[in-house]
Amino acid sequence: MKLAMIGFGQAGGKIVDRFLDYDDRTGSGIVRAAIAVNSAKADLMGLKNIPQENRVLIGQARVKGHGVGADNELGAEVAEEDIDEVQNAIDAIPTHEVDAFLVVAGMGGGTGSGGAPVLAKHLKRIYTIPVYGLGVLPGTDEGGIYTLNAARSFQTFVREVDNLMVFDNDSWRQTGESVEGGYEQINEEIVRRFGILFGAGEVGDGQEVAESVVDSSEIINTLSGGGVSTVGFASEEVDLNTGGGLLSRFTGDAGGDDNLDAANTTNRITSLVRKAALGRLTLPCEIEGTERALLVLAGPSEYLNRKGIERGRKWLEEETGSMEVRGGDYPREEPEVAAAILLSGVTNVPRIKRLQQVAIEAQDNIDDIQQESEENLEELVEDDEDELEPLF
Ligand code: GDP
């Protein structure tokens, strides 16, 4: 599936930058165009792969290239004021060759948190292709203001996109890591999971196209209907079997071993599917009640079989209670078999409820503190008996 990716704010830009790197490394061909939008000039300069002409600085008149300082209302305002600048960059990309937009942002900050929903709304008004969001939740240790920003951005972003895929930094935080080093790893995890998922619908020329291969319309159908999505993933290393495996299967050289191989292959797939669904999701949630799901099995084609995928799909149907579970192959010559599961329309997400609670507390605290400091200032400035008068 070919995407036009727009990274909004620092996290968004870095993640899209990383997607380009992933595309380069794996030849997956999912990023048809990449744009970064930011109100902070330094963040745009720090990107490595996004072309200079696709880096858009907004809000210059208001914040002079210094960013909005975690004020997401200001982030939304400058995005609205300078939406034409963003549109100019989008005009320069071949949108007719694109299956969907993906707007990526960290929801805890200012520029991306406020700007990404504004851009999504704008894109949906102009284009007929789907507009998806990839929103990153802040770690719980980042503090009240980030939580409040994320809770408000989440509500708005979900409403403005065709589907919001969520990644929770909190579940992926590693102790003892520097923040930057931690993000490196987290961003790699993000592009790997979403790369396999979106890469599935993008089998290149000359690649083997099996009947059961995932098509981009299946990804789009799984995401249609809106709501919130999460992605599960599990992988296992395998030998790339250069020369032997594939050929021997066609010529029948492997003889009696073939049955054993088929059983192993099926078992490997079914256990990977379970691990992916029950392991760490990009957004932790209860998978029961998921509206739609897509199971993608990626790996060398000799390690993929229809029986395994079919069993995995059935099992997912039972676990989620969904009647709409799609599944298929993504043949690629990497020394691993991987299961990526897109769970779309999840509703039982305690993490979001907790985020909202903390956000409301933070909001109340901020109001109290502001009122108190206004009172304190008045007490300081005014003389006790009100005997002095200001000049004007
Ligand atoms: P903005 O530039 O004002 O949009 O704000 P940032 O993108 O810098 O930060 C928003 C939130 O994104 C932070 O609270 C972090 O939770 C998260 N974040 C920042 N950088 C990264 C990153 O490289 N990767 C990930 N996964 N999250 C990040």
Side-chain angles (χ1 to χ4, degrees):
M1 167 164 203
K2 288 206 187 308
L3 296 166
M5 293 191 181
I6 303 161
F8 221 116
Q10 191 186 14
K14 271 159 61 189
I15 292 166
V16 170
D17 211 54
R18 191 103 187 179
F19 265 115
L20 278 174
D21 175 57
Y22 171 89
D23 233 9
D24 239 23
R25 270 184 284 146
T26 62
S28 67
I30 53 175
V31 192
R32 186 63 191 84
I35 293 173
V37 185
N38 211 319
S39 61
K41 200 172 177 183
D43 290 348
L44 286 178
M45 282 164 61
L47 300 169
K48 294 192 189 96
N49 307 307
I50 297 175
Q52 288 294 342
E53 65 273 20
N54 287 5
R55 302 181 190 183
V56 184
L57 184 64
I58 56 167
Q60 240 174 321
R62 297 277 286 271
V63 300
K64 315 225 170 343
H66 297 307
V68 297
D71 178 346
N72 63 353
E73 288 186 9
L74 183 55
E77 277 172 36
V78 298
E80 219 150 286
E81 284 163 13
D82 287 350
I83 200 74
D84 291 344
E85 315 262 334
V86 185
Q87 184 58 48
N88 283 343
I90 298 170
D91 282 340
I93 64 174
T95 40
H96 56 280
E97 289 175 23
V98 163
D99 297 310
F101 286 102
L102 183 68
V103 181
V104 188
M107 293 188 283
T111 307
S113 172
V118 170
L119 175 62
K121 183 177 184 173
H122 169 83
L123 292 174
K124 274 197 64 82
R125 237 190 24 233
I126 295 187
Y127 297 95
T128 50
I129 54 173
V131 177
Y132 302 129
L134 171 52
V136 177
L137 289 178
T140 45
D141 57 354
E142 285 188 52
I145 181 75
Y146 289 86
T147 304
L148 177 57
N149 283 349
R152 294 181 69 201
S153 178
F154 173 81
Q155 277 190 345
T156 327
F157 209 8
V158 176
R159 203 183 58 205
E160 301 302 338
V161 290
D162 287 295
N163 199 297
L164 181 65
M165 292 163 266
V166 180
F167 187 94
D168 181 13
N169 275 349
D170 203 54
S171 336
W172 293 85
R173 204 167 25 131
Q174 283 181 344
T175 46
E177 283 266 1
S178 70
V179 176
E180 265 317 302
Y183 283 150
E184 282 274 304
Q185 279 200 5
I186 285 179
N187 293 351
E188 186 55 33
E189 187 67 40
I190 294 175
V191 300
R192 189 162 68 135
R193 289 184 172 222
F194 288 95
I196 287 198
L197 201 66
F198 290 119
E202 198 47 50
V203 180
D205 295 339
Q207 268 176 279
E208 207 178 329
V209 181
E211 211 181 307
S212 51
V213 98
V214 176
D215 190 76
S216 53
S217 65
E218 291 179 284
I219 304 171
I220 290 174
N221 288 343
T222 306
L223 290 170
S224 73
V228 175
S229 292
T230 182
V231 175
F233 181 85
S235 67
E236 192 184 309
E237 278 182 29
V238 292
D239 286 334
L240 255 185
N241 234 354
T242 36
L246 197 58
L247 190 68
S248 65
R249 221 179 51 178
F250 285 136
T251 58
D253 278 358
D257 286 351
D258 246 357
N259 283 339
L260 184 69
D261 281 348
N264 274 345
T265 303
T266 308
N267 287 342
R268 179 185 292 112
I269 293 175
T270 46
S271 85
L272 279 175
V273 171
R274 281 164 199 247
K275 268 193 215 158
L278 303 176
R280 198 155 31 153
L281 302 170
T282 58
L283 172 67
C285 67
E286 296 299 328
I287 68 170
E288 198 194 339
T290 301
E291 282 169 31
R292 296 166 303 279
L294 174 69
L295 163 63
V296 173
L297 252 303
S301 45
E302 61 268 36
Y303 286 96
L304 309 175
N305 73 15
R306 181 171 285 213
K307 198 165 160 191
I309 295 171
E310 214 22 59
R311 275 205 200 154
R313 219 184 50 74
K314 284 243 164 63
W315 179 83
L316 258 181
E317 261 178 17
E318 279 159 26
E319 288 294 306
T320 57
S322 165
M323 300 310 287
E324 242 187 280
V325 181
R326 297 171 171 88
D329 300 348
Y330 174 19
R332 48 178 220 152
E333 289 307 302
E334 298 276 329
E336 65 166 13
V337 177
I341 301 175
L342 171 64
L343 299 158
S344 172
V346 294
T347 45
N348 191 347
V349 193
R351 164 73 168 114
I352 295 289
K353 291 291 127 195
R354 273 200 310 276
L355 178 92
Q356 288 168 338
Q357 256 168 16
V358 176
I360 292 164
E361 279 165 29
Q363 190 165 263
D364 292 346
N365 279 343
I366 290 167
D367 289 348
D368 288 351
I369 290 169
Q370 195 173 352
Q371 201 182 345
E372 206 173 301
S373 75
E374 272 166 24
E375 283 165 13
N376 287 348
L377 181 63
E378 197 173 305
E379 211 174 290
L380 170 72
V381 176
E382 300 301 322
D383 54 297
D384 291 342
E385 307 296 330
D386 225 1
E387 289 160 288
L388 296 171
E389 268 189 41
L391 285 174
F392 50 83

